[in-house]
Amino acid sequence: MSELHKFIFEGLPVRGMLVRLTDAWQDILARRAANSETGAYPAPVRQLLGEMAAAGVLMQGNIKFNGALVLQIFGDGPVKLGVVEVQPDLSLRATCTQVGDVADDATLSQMVNVNNEGRCAITLDPQDRLPGQQPYQGVVPLFGDRGEKLENISEVLEHYMLQSEQLDTVLVLAADDKVAAGLLIQRLPIEGEGNLAGKTDSLMRESVLGQSEDFSRISILTKSLKREELLGLDAETILHRLYWEEPLARFEPFIGETGPRFACRCNRERVGNMIRSLGTEEVEGIIAEQGQVEVGCDFCGAQYRFDPVDAAGLFTGLPADVPGGSVH
């Protein structure tokens, strides 16, 4: 089963997490492959979305936040949009919108960032959002400080973490048809009396970025992890191989009901609200042309059908949960 492992290096200002998505990731791919309109993702898209899924779980597991973490990339290539949503209980869903052909050896920039206009957005959407409250969103480009195109989503997210949290972060990500996995190492914020008393300001925190010898050493070990090792080895073996000389303390892993797993939040009521937002005239036009309104979920593949009676009920307040139903 899919699993998330958290650990710290005792006495050192460094923490880490390791995620392995197996059944959750295979479920996402199987649902896409079963879609007769789209078919399976091309290999480079599978790798990109898998790495995003692993990164999304790591980022959600790294914060104490009662809400959804949504990781998106969008740009001007054949992959217009990639989305991963991870809930506080680590349930997740993911999808990509592809509008053109993707070569077998396509890179990140060729898929999303052809003219260097691609972006990566991380959104935190609270479950208990107050009326009028907007989700928090941070956006970073898919290029580096010198305008160079970045070819790994891990580099993009490391840049985001440095900008948004002012914390040094190392990410190693990999995905194939069976496993999506990731390893995150992060330097902890400054601790001590000065920080607790509010005497450590942002400029001082920024001044020590990259200056921890312990973090530098552990970063080098982390970056030595090869793609085939991350995908093929179990968590125990990976952590032992990398950090067997380090004072590693591990927490109880998140697995099974508490671990990462596929779950989609779509339902007939939400789809009905979306259709209602189109307005009576638009919906009546669809009914006249197609005889019904049909909406498919990009995440799980469920199909929701609203016949003329169902659609009318959306605007009159009558229940629209009669036999049109949804089919998977």
Side-chain angles (χ1 to χ4, degrees):
M1 290 186 288
S2 301
E3 53 193 328
L4 175 67
H5 300 261
K6 294 185 177 183
F7 52 92
I8 60 172
F9 296 85
E10 291 185 306
L12 306 179
V14 187
R15 64 185 172 194
M17 285 186 293
L18 173 64
V19 65
R20 285 180 54 79
L21 303 177
T22 51
D23 54 344
W25 175 232
Q26 292 166 27
D27 198 351
I28 291 171
L29 292 183
R31 289 173 181 272
R32 174 71 180 204
N35 188 319
S36 58
E37 293 186 6
T38 63
Y41 292 116
V45 178
R46 291 197 297 269
Q47 179 178 334
L48 172 60
L49 189 61
E51 291 182 0
M52 289 178 61
V57 173
L58 290 172
M59 295 177 75
Q60 176 67 279
N62 197 36
I63 58 177
K64 295 180 179 179
F65 178 67
N66 184 29
L69 182 146
V70 182
L71 171 61
Q72 297 173 285
I73 58 167
F74 46 92
D76 55 0
V79 176
K80 300 300 292 184
L81 176 69
V83 183
V84 171
E85 179 187 275
V86 187
Q87 297 296 323
D89 64 356
L90 300 182
S91 61
L92 72 145
R93 57 183 187 168
T95 187
C96 269
T97 301
Q98 183 182 339
V99 298
D101 294 334
V102 174
D104 292 340
D105 59 350
T107 62
L108 174 61
S109 64
Q110 291 169 341
M111 287 188 286
V112 189
N113 192 31
V114 175
N115 296 308
N116 225 11
E117 297 178 356
R119 295 291 185 270
C120 173
I122 294 89
T123 305
L124 301 178
D125 190 4
Q127 287 186 350
D128 51 359
R129 197 187 332 160
L130 300 174
Q133 180 183 2
Q134 297 299 313
Y136 166 80
Q137 185 177 76
V139 181
V140 292
L142 300 184
F143 56 79
D145 294 333
R146 297 180 300 278
E148 73 281 9
K149 294 180 179 180
L150 300 178
E151 298 298 355
N152 296 297
I153 194 67
S154 58
E155 296 177 282
V156 176
L157 295 174
E158 287 173 357
H159 187 56
Y160 168 82
M161 299 294 282
L162 189 60
Q163 280 193 338
S164 66
E165 297 188 26
Q166 297 184 345
L167 292 178
D168 291 305
T169 304
V170 173
L171 264 174
V172 182
L173 302 169
D176 59 15
D177 293 349
K178 300 297 183 182
V179 182
L183 176 60
L184 178 147
I185 298 295
Q186 192 169 65
R187 184 186 59 79
L188 291 169
I190 296 174
E191 297 179 354
E193 292 183 4
N195 192 43
L196 294 175
K199 296 178 181 178
T200 306
D201 60 22
S202 60
L203 291 177
M204 185 178 297
R205 284 195 294 272
E206 191 171 353
S207 70
V208 300
L209 288 176
Q211 294 184 13
S212 168
E213 292 183 4
D214 296 314
F215 179 78
S216 297
R217 180 183 68 256
I218 293 170
S219 294
I220 293 172
L221 295 173
T222 303
K223 292 176 182 177
S224 71
L225 181 64
K226 296 181 175 60
R227 167 185 166 84
E228 56 269 24
E229 293 174 324
L230 183 55
L231 292 175
L233 300 177
D234 60 74
E236 300 285 341
T237 303
I238 291 173
L239 295 178
H240 179 72
R241 282 192 180 185
L242 292 176
Y243 310 123
W244 65 276
E245 290 186 307
E246 301 294 338
L248 195 69
R250 297 178 56 185
F251 300 97
E252 191 72 22
F254 296 85
I255 190 169
E257 293 184 356
T258 65
R261 60 207 178 279
F262 172 80
C264 191
R265 300 170 64 216
C266 75
N267 57 46
R268 189 167 175 80
E269 180 182 0
R270 291 188 179 198
V271 174
N273 290 335
M274 184 274 291
I275 294 173
R276 186 186 295 114
S277 70
L278 297 176
T280 307
E281 184 176 345
E282 179 73 15
V283 173
E284 288 178 346
I286 297 174
I287 294 287
E289 181 180 342
Q290 302 178 13
Q292 64 179 0
V293 180
E294 183 172 355
V295 178
C297 177
D298 288 338
F299 289 98
C300 70
Q303 297 290 321
Y304 296 89
R305 300 187 179 99
F306 292 75
D307 64 20
V309 175
D310 296 334
L314 296 174
F315 297 97
T316 61
L318 297 176
D321 54 357
V322 290
S326 65
V327 294
H328 294 258

